[in-house]
Amino acid sequence: MAAKLGARAAMVAKVGDDSFGLATIDNFNSHSINSDYLMVTNEASSGVAAISVNEQGENSIVIVSGSNEKLTPLDVLRAEEIVKKSAVVICQLEVPKETSCSALKLAKSHGRTTIFNVAPGVSFLDQDFYTNADILCLNETEMEMVTGLQVTDVPSGRKAVECLQERVAGCVVLTLGENGVLFTERSSPTEIKHVEAERVEVVDTTGAGDAFVGAMAYFLSCHSHLPFQEVVRRSCVIATCSVRARGTQSSYCVEHLPKELFLS
């Protein structure tokens, strides 16, 4: 999404030496994403995900990690040059925890803005994740796994954000689907703010979280003067637009986005 919106993006990852891996590389190249740090291994097949979507547009995903599990902290260190050149670094958990954590630490050591998307959700995170993430982003399910608090609406979401903020050095961002986004800011971590989402006809929610995170990275890097609340608001609009079409990347129809999103 960040690349589709106009950011210069790079990917540090590992794919298998198979047709899925080749297709992944071709896909990145077709979107002008720097694939210099996209490594190929013959130790595992490429990671894949089987996605099913019900009549309400809600998705269920079965992930086979494959080559993703072969990405190591050493691989991250080999990509230090591109990390140093980046304004924003995004990490998540479809690779080993220690690899994501090392990437966060490396990015912070070079003064880069770090976004840690806690996906897929886990029940335990080392304190280093909380220390090195400028922005910790999760959805309701992931928040429940991390905090043990059930999130069903905005009030319960506020309680969970308040609980998690006690562990986090940066900001907490909790996406709530049709209920919008709850978030904190570094300047006022005890104040939990709410951005509402536009009510739309939901076709497919797959990839909405990735659209939100990618949009947030785009605005933080390419519109860095924007207040964080406006970054969250615009990212929420983009994620909402994505659920109106089927598919993941195919739902990222940036040409149909409101032009006001790109104004200073």
Side-chain angles (χ1 to χ4, degrees):
M1 176 56 87
K4 282 195 168 189
L5 291 170
R8 293 172 59 192
M11 191 76 170
V12 180
K14 189 168 284 188
V15 298
D17 187 10
D18 49 39
S19 59
F20 289 114
L22 291 174
T24 298
I25 295 171
D26 288 343
N27 182 45
F28 287 150
N29 291 336
S30 72
H31 290 99
S32 300
I33 295 172
N34 184 335
S35 60
D36 291 349
Y37 300 94
L38 194 61
M39 291 151 272
V40 179
T41 179
N42 58 12
E43 296 180 358
S45 59
S46 296
V48 295
I51 304 170
S52 60
V53 181
N54 65 20
E55 294 180 356
Q56 288 73 45
E58 297 296 329
N59 67 78
S60 178
I61 305 176
V62 176
I63 296 173
V64 180
S65 298
S67 56
N68 291 308
E69 288 293 333
K70 299 298 181 180
L71 191 71
T72 68
L74 181 58
D75 293 326
V76 170
L77 190 59
R78 290 176 179 141
E80 184 172 11
E81 192 60 32
I82 196 66
V83 172
K84 286 166 59 176
K85 293 178 180 178
S86 301
V88 178
V89 174
I90 302 172
C91 298
Q92 39 82 287
L93 292 175
E94 286 173 338
V95 298
K97 282 184 182 181
E98 60 270 22
T99 303
S100 281
C101 196
S102 66
L104 289 170
K105 288 180 178 179
L106 181 64
K108 286 298 291 180
S109 73
H110 291 293
R112 306 300 89 184
T113 297
T114 54
I115 300 175
F116 177 44
N117 184 206
V118 192
V122 292
S123 58
F124 173 78
L125 286 171
D126 188 89
Q127 183 58 40
D128 282 344
F129 282 103
Y130 299 122
T131 303
N132 291 284
D134 291 309
I135 301 168
L136 194 77
C137 186
L138 353 68
N139 63 22
E140 309 102 304
T141 303
E142 293 152 2
M143 177 64 90
E144 183 174 346
M145 292 181 72
V146 169
T147 64
L149 299 175
Q150 188 174 21
V151 177
T152 57
D153 50 24
V154 173
S156 59
R158 286 184 181 277
K159 292 179 181 178
V161 170
E162 182 179 7
C163 173
L164 187 57
Q165 186 64 62
E166 295 177 359
R167 312 178 198 172
V168 178
C171 312
V172 175
V173 177
L174 172 61
T175 58
L176 295 167
E178 64 180 11
N179 290 318
V181 182
L182 289 170
F183 67 99
T184 61
E185 297 191 55
R186 186 181 290 273
S187 59
S188 52
T190 59
E191 181 183 1
I192 301 172
K193 300 179 180 180
H194 182 215
V195 167
E196 295 185 358
E198 178 188 358
R199 298 289 173 156
V200 298
E201 182 178 350
V202 176
V203 175
D204 184 352
T205 58
T206 312
D210 292 332
F212 178 85
V213 172
M216 198 160 48
Y218 163 76
F219 287 117
L220 288 170
S221 58
C222 299
H223 296 265
S224 57
H225 61 284
L226 288 175
F228 188 58
Q229 181 162 349
E230 183 62 11
V231 168
V232 173
R233 186 193 72 81
R234 295 187 188 195
S235 301
C236 187
V237 171
I238 289 172
T240 298
C241 289
S242 77
V243 306
R244 302 171 75 172
R246 293 194 183 281
T248 49
Q249 293 181 43
S250 59
S251 71
Y252 300 165
C253 303
V254 297
E255 63 273 14
H256 297 144
L257 292 172
K259 301 302 180 186
E260 60 90 8
L261 293 177
F262 304 97
L263 298 177
S264 299

